[in-house]
Amino acid sequence: MAATPATPAADEAYDVIVLGAGPTGENLADRAHAAGLSAVIVESELVGGECSYWACMPSKALLRPVTARSDARRVPGLRDAAEGPLDAPAVLTHRDAVAAHWKDDGQVRWLDSAGIDLVRGHGRLAGPRRVVVDGERTLTARHAVAVCTGSRPVLPPVPGLAEARPWTSRAATSSQAVPGHLVVVGGGVVGVEMATAWRALGAVVTLLVRGDGLLPRMEPFAGHLVAAALTEAGVDLRTGVEVREVRREIPGGPVTVVLDTEDEIVADELLIATGRAPRTADIGLETIGLEPGSWFDVDDSCRVTGVTGGWLYGVGDVNHRALLTHQGKYQARIAGAAIAARARGVPILESDPWGAHAATADTRAVPQVVFSDPEAASVGLTAAAAERAGHRFQVVDQDLGAIAGASLYADGYRGRARMVVDLDREVLLGATFVGPGVGELLHSATVAVAGEVPIERLWHAVPAYPTISEVWLRLLETYRG
Amino acid sequence: MAATPATPAADEAYDVIVLGAGPTGENLADRAHAAGLSAVIVESELVGGECSYWACMPSKALLRPVTARSDARRVPGLRDAAEGPLDAPAVLTHRDAVAAHWKDDGQVRWLDSAGIDLVRGHGRLAGPRRVVVDGERTLTARHAVAVCTGSRPVLPPVPGLAEARPWTSRAATSSQAVPGHLVVVGGGVVGVEMATAWRALGAVVTLLVRGDGLLPRMEPFAGHLVAAALTEAGVDLRTGVEVREVRREIPGGPVTVVLDTEDEIVADELLIATGRAPRTADIGLETIGLEPGSWFDVDDSCRVTGVTGGWLYGVGDVNHRALLTHQGKYQARIAGAAIAARARGVPILESDPWGAHAATADTRAVPQVVFSDPEAASVGLTAAAAERAGHRFQVVDQDLGAIAGASLYADGYRGRARMVVDLDREVLLGATFVGPGVGELLHSATVAVAGEVPIERLWHAVPAYPTISEVWLRLLETYRG
């Protein structure tokens, strides 16, 4: 482990103190250190954070075999071979390895090699630029404190729910056994992905959604296509329902979910995936005049607004700009550069869009891939968001099944693509792709949106034939009429 | 079929005459017609061309099950199920369907619906703006004749080779049976893809290459990775060898391939994939003072240079700019727009880079995906090509196996990525990705290269985590040091 003195002296001073060793905190510390600043990370759990152990990595380890099997089933010559069920123990064992068996030795070695100090324990602010760890050790920051503590799942106030000890994302990604019957509450990314994975691993899955569809932040066809596929896979999807009560008499025993329709579902496990809250309740925000448990209000360099001296940054989930690992890492790169520039006294303009110190992509070009089957991938604004933002825009849709590369990728390919074009500037505001194998296709749209590449120039970006990417050509042809 | 008069009058006049109904000819006629010009296509074989029946489509139908099987083998939970051999009859039957059973009814219907006339027969130029079909029917062009006849495989002058009636790309993509032992000569795209497909379908495959590696037009690591994988798959790859003689005594019987090393290989079939020639030998070029059998010399609008009146266009393979279906279609869109503009008397500047009438991507941003296992995908300049072109550039490499998204895509992922950066303009000159699942990733680089997106802006194009696309982040981090 990096320099953690056995006998701390008085206050230990660093240029930058980072609370939270998830990918956001790691990247921020790395950037600061690379710019010549000393950096320390305070972490009370595992170095590597939610993403490495209870989110992106284990969930994708559970999901990748599902899509690989579906892909194999959709081509000739392999269908019979891929008919059997997934070998759940093999998948879970592999997932354990991907999650590094919930040990952070590798990540600690990386911190060490990167020259970043690590202090294990719970860090709380104790006035400006000061962090106390476990009430014992005091760190002071010459330039900045960056809060990168992320977010946590929230249980809705349903009678009996907390007492039933339901799964949240952590248990859902790390369970060592396949539940016989799993009830999932929530139709967002976590709900959809976990319903997909556990169904394929053999569970009976009931998916309960309050709204009228899945993936409500994406274009509506994303939710429609994913819902159809989940239903075909045997998931019992119920929309427009609310959970009124939950009962679990025996710990570890069956759980009864009572709906507002009076229906009762008895299952082995219950996953709640309905929302998240910032992990800022117990980090001493009250000592600097901020409200504990609130999301941070930050500028485009991720500096918390209204803090005298401008030494506090809120980076990643805590600022509620975009609750995604890659976006937290992006903010960390931007904020790290801003902290370093300010430390050197270099004037920066965090309001300069697309400059080195503004996380402009947070509002213009956030990509997301839902690793369901089919995959759903989007970047930038949906049509609804473009409408809300007051853009003059045009929506162009394309059936992906009509693309030669898609029909070769999978027999009977079903999918859809949409681009949203800014009619005033003739650039893309957003794009959405839903279908098998579209995950890697998304980045082409991310480059186009973030790069503000004019439509006329995209006409010269030729997609290789026959790939699914040829959807670009059809979208552009339709737009140009 | 579209308006093909039963009793032709004297000369039939069209605004645009297209020779060749492959994707290039179809797209050019479509563009011209969409611009209000009358268009006719002359075709002596199947409407849809090489791509639909004997190249892209059937070859990818053969190859997709290979990669789907490999992908399934590389994840836990499916390995056993995917161990068996491919069901060759199922794959070949599906391939037949993808090739529309070598019938062009569907494509003819499309021409009809698009308002494009079709004349079946062999078209030859008979002086300026005039085409005679099968010596019987004369068409005249008010504005342009576009030659889109494509290219054909060439047999090298090896004693006994022509008499042995070897496979070329047509037979290799349309064979109804799996040969017991197939010798492939040529390490380019066709050789690599067909060795991959027929090996996976059960053939013993020997791959003979004159040079020292495969895929010589790509970055060297592409050939290295593909060669290693083919060898692992059981292909007998021999580099640095030449075929000195070929013998096949009985038609359809075994074929003996004699190498310059004195080795003799006895096989069931021999595929020659060593080069292509333009299909311009028998189209009447001599009647307008051009050399039959030559590649066309064209400007950036694909207009043939040195032809009085500027009415002749050479589009697609015939101009030797980039022998790829998608690039031919791109040229067709550009040339079609140029023909239409000139017909309206609108001045155009075909030398305006990235304008509507210049096929600039042909020289700056040609994408290609080799559907081998691993896939090899590239766009723009390789390091060697950048060197030859005199750019001041930097090469940035990244091991794809170190990318989280790649390691989740396939256990033990092996792959590599390279970007070539123009140091004077700080934009990408080219990029190459080799590994499983990179085919759809390529278009992100194509947008970056064709869009000339500055490196500083690419920094804001955030790849979704955990996808293989995250290689972009590592490449950019390395470049920025």
Side-chain angles (χ1 to χ4, degrees):
Chain A
M1 203 194 311
T4 307
T7 326
D11 288 8
E12 297 164 73
Y14 285 90
D15 291 327
V16 180
I17 300 172
V18 179
L19 294 190
T24 299
E26 289 181 323
N27 272 270
L28 191 137
D30 187 40
R31 288 284 129 189
H33 183 268
L37 303 178
S38 64
V40 61
I41 299 189
V42 181
E43 173 61 59
S44 61
E45 298 191 85
L46 293 176
V47 175
E50 213 67 17
C51 168
S52 301
Y53 308 105
W54 302 290
C56 328
M57 295 298 286
S59 70
K60 274 55 179 185
L62 295 175
L63 287 160
R64 173 65 191 142
V66 185
T67 50
R69 181 178 61 162
S70 297
D71 282 355
R73 284 176 172 176
R74 293 179 184 125
V75 297
L78 265 169
R79 286 197 184 103
D80 295 345
E83 272 313 317
L86 284 177
D87 177 353
V91 173
L92 297 181
T93 299
H94 180 254
R95 184 274 323 269
D96 292 353
V98 165
H101 303 279
W102 295 274
K103 290 186 172 41
D104 63 4
D105 310 48
Q107 303 256 359
V108 171
R109 272 196 300 276
W110 176 82
L111 276 189
D112 205 10
S113 73
I116 301 160
D117 283 1
L118 169 67
V119 175
R120 291 197 185 263
H122 186 88
R124 283 184 192 81
L125 287 162
R129 299 170 191 273
R130 175 166 294 198
V131 170
V132 175
V133 182
D134 287 344
E136 295 172 353
R137 191 166 162 184
T138 301
L139 309 171
T140 57
R142 278 183 286 265
H143 296 296
V145 175
V147 177
C148 308
T149 47
S151 62
R152 60 177 177 80
V154 176
L155 295 186
V158 170
L161 178 57
E163 296 75 12
R165 299 180 60 87
W167 277 7
T168 59
S169 48
R170 285 198 175 192
T173 52
S174 63
S175 172
Q176 292 297 324
V178 181
H181 183 178
L182 173 67
V183 174
V184 178
V185 180
V189 178
V190 172
V192 160
E193 288 191 346
M194 290 300 98
T196 300
W198 291 107
R199 175 65 196 136
L201 289 165
V204 170
V205 173
T206 305
L207 178 53
L208 305 177
V209 180
R210 191 156 66 170
D212 58 359
L214 304 178
L215 304 175
R217 300 179 65 166
M218 287 191 159
E219 297 285 4
F221 64 83
H224 297 160
L225 285 162
V226 169
L230 280 173
T231 302
E232 258 177 60
V235 170
D236 177 13
L237 169 61
R238 307 194 196 175
T239 56
V241 296
E242 296 222 43
V243 177
R244 203 164 63 185
E245 189 190 345
V246 171
R247 291 193 302 266
R248 177 176 254 168
E249 269 101 40
I250 308 157
V255 61
T256 301
V257 180
V258 185
L259 305 183
D260 55 354
T261 57
E262 308 289 338
D263 284 346
E264 295 197 359
I265 306 167
V266 181
D268 299 289
E269 277 301 348
L270 170 62
L271 163 62
I272 301 294
T274 51
R276 299 185 74 82
R279 288 167 55 133
T280 58
D282 188 24
I283 56 166
L285 288 190
E286 65 283 2
T287 70
I288 55 167
L290 294 177
E291 178 69 24
S294 60
W295 301 101
F296 282 111
D297 186 25
V298 300
D299 65 19
D300 272 351
S301 75
C302 296
R303 186 156 70 165
V304 178
T305 53
V307 174
T308 309
W311 54 273
L312 184 65
Y313 291 74
V315 192
D317 285 9
V318 290
N319 63 35
H320 209 239
R321 288 166 68 99
L323 281 70
L324 293 159
T325 291
H326 46 269
Q327 221 60 27
K329 289 164 63 180
Y330 166 71
Q331 293 171 17
R333 298 191 290 275
I334 298 285
I339 289 169
R342 287 179 174 129
R344 285 195 309 272
V346 177
I348 71 160
L349 192 59
E350 73 278 358
S351 59
D352 173 25
W354 307 117
H357 306 124
T360 306
D362 280 353
T363 52
R364 310 256 201 106
V366 174
Q368 178 158 29
V369 178
V370 185
F371 293 86
S372 44
D373 175 34
E375 291 175 336
S378 68
V379 64
L381 302 186
T382 59
E387 182 77 44
R388 281 195 300 274
H391 289 285
R392 203 170 66 85
F393 66 97
Q394 183 178 330
V395 168
V396 185
D397 279 4
Q398 174 63 44
D399 171 18
L400 274 172
I403 304 299
S407 70
L408 289 163
Y409 187 88
D411 243 22
Y413 192 102
R414 278 178 292 173
R416 191 162 195 79
R418 168 172 291 183
M419 67 176 190
V420 180
V421 182
D422 181 331
L423 291 173
D424 292 317
R425 297 190 304 140
E426 294 249 313
V427 297
L428 278 199
L429 291 169
T432 302
F433 307 95
V434 182
V438 301
E440 303 300 338
L441 172 51
L442 180 64
H443 201 59
S444 56
T446 305
V447 172
V449 173
E452 297 176 300
V453 180
I455 293 281
E456 285 307 308
R457 183 61 71 88
L458 287 176
W459 193 240
H460 292 274
V462 180
Y465 191 83
T467 59
I468 306 174
S469 300
E470 213 189 30
V471 64
W472 275 101
L473 178 54
R474 304 290 280 274
L475 289 168
L476 293 168
E477 283 177 333
T478 303
Y479 174 71
R480 293 164 55 111
Chain B
M1 202 192 311
T4 308
T7 327
D11 287 8
E12 295 165 75
Y14 285 91
D15 291 327
V16 180
I17 301 172
V18 179
L19 294 190
T24 299
E26 289 181 322
N27 273 270
L28 192 136
D30 187 39
R31 287 285 130 190
H33 182 268
L37 302 178
S38 64
V40 62
I41 299 189
V42 182
E43 173 60 60
S44 61
E45 297 191 87
L46 293 177
V47 174
E50 213 70 15
C51 167
S52 302
Y53 308 105
W54 303 291
C56 329
M57 294 298 287
S59 69
K60 273 56 180 186
L62 295 174
L63 287 159
R64 174 64 193 143
V66 184
T67 49
R69 181 177 62 164
S70 297
D71 282 355
R73 284 177 172 174
R74 292 179 185 126
V75 297
L78 266 169
R79 286 198 184 100
D80 294 345
E83 273 311 319
L86 283 177
D87 176 352
V91 173
L92 296 182
T93 299
H94 180 255
R95 185 271 326 266
D96 293 352
V98 166
H101 303 280
W102 295 275
K103 290 188 172 43
D104 62 5
D105 310 47
Q107 304 256 359
V108 170
R109 272 195 300 276
W110 176 81
L111 276 189
D112 204 11
S113 73
I116 301 159
D117 284 0
L118 169 67
V119 175
R120 291 199 186 264
H122 186 90
R124 284 183 191 82
L125 288 163
R129 299 169 191 272
R130 175 166 294 197
V131 169
V132 176
V133 182
D134 287 344
E136 293 173 352
R137 190 164 162 186
T138 302
L139 309 172
T140 57
R142 279 183 287 264
H143 296 297
V145 175
V147 177
C148 309
T149 47
S151 62
R152 60 177 177 78
V154 176
L155 295 185
V158 170
L161 178 57
E163 297 75 11
R165 300 178 60 87
W167 278 6
T168 59
S169 48
R170 285 198 174 193
T173 52
S174 63
S175 173
Q176 292 297 324
V178 180
H181 182 178
L182 173 66
V183 174
V184 178
V185 180
V189 178
V190 172
V192 160
E193 289 192 345
M194 290 300 98
T196 300
W198 291 108
R199 175 66 196 134
L201 288 165
V204 171
V205 174
T206 306
L207 178 53
L208 305 176
V209 180
R210 191 154 70 171
D212 58 359
L214 303 178
L215 303 175
R217 301 179 64 167
M218 286 190 160
E219 297 286 2
F221 64 81
H224 296 159
L225 284 162
V226 170
L230 280 173
T231 302
E232 259 177 58
V235 169
D236 177 13
L237 169 61
R238 307 194 196 175
T239 56
V241 295
E242 296 223 41
V243 176
R244 201 164 64 185
E245 189 190 343
V246 171
R247 291 193 303 264
R248 176 175 254 168
E249 270 102 40
I250 307 157
V255 61
T256 302
V257 180
V258 185
L259 305 182
D260 57 353
T261 57
E262 307 289 339
D263 284 345
E264 294 197 358
I265 305 167
V266 181
D268 299 289
E269 277 303 346
L270 171 63
L271 164 61
I272 301 294
T274 50
R276 298 185 74 82
R279 287 168 56 135
T280 58
D282 188 22
I283 57 165
L285 288 189
E286 63 284 359
T287 70
I288 54 166
L290 294 177
E291 179 69 24
S294 60
W295 302 100
F296 283 111
D297 186 24
V298 299
D299 65 19
D300 272 351
S301 74
C302 296
R303 187 156 68 165
V304 178
T305 53
V307 173
T308 309
W311 54 274
L312 185 65
Y313 290 74
V315 192
D317 284 10
V318 291
N319 64 34
H320 210 238
R321 287 167 69 101
L323 280 71
L324 294 159
T325 290
H326 47 268
Q327 221 60 26
K329 289 164 63 180
Y330 166 71
Q331 293 171 17
R333 296 191 290 274
I334 299 285
I339 289 169
R342 286 177 175 131
R344 286 195 308 272
V346 178
I348 71 159
L349 192 59
E350 73 276 0
S351 59
D352 172 26
W354 307 116
H357 305 124
T360 306
D362 281 351
T363 51
R364 310 256 199 106
V366 174
Q368 178 158 30
V369 177
V370 185
F371 293 87
S372 44
D373 175 36
E375 291 176 336
S378 69
V379 62
L381 302 186
T382 59
E387 182 78 44
R388 282 195 301 273
H391 289 285
R392 204 169 66 84
F393 66 97
Q394 182 178 330
V395 168
V396 185
D397 280 2
Q398 175 63 43
D399 171 18
L400 274 172
I403 304 299
S407 69
L408 288 164
Y409 187 88
D411 242 22
Y413 193 102
R414 279 178 292 173
R416 192 162 193 78
R418 167 172 291 182
M419 67 175 190
V420 180
V421 182
D422 181 331
L423 291 174
D424 291 318
R425 297 191 304 142
E426 293 248 313
V427 296
L428 279 200
L429 290 168
T432 302
F433 307 95
V434 183
V438 300
E440 303 300 339
L441 173 50
L442 180 64
H443 200 59
S444 56
T446 305
V447 172
V449 173
E452 298 176 300
V453 181
I455 293 281
E456 285 308 308
R457 182 62 69 90
L458 288 176
W459 192 240
H460 292 274
V462 180
Y465 190 83
T467 60
I468 306 174
S469 300
E470 215 188 29
V471 63
W472 275 102
L473 178 53
R474 306 289 280 274
L475 288 168
L476 292 167
E477 282 177 335
T478 304
Y479 175 71
R480 294 163 55 110

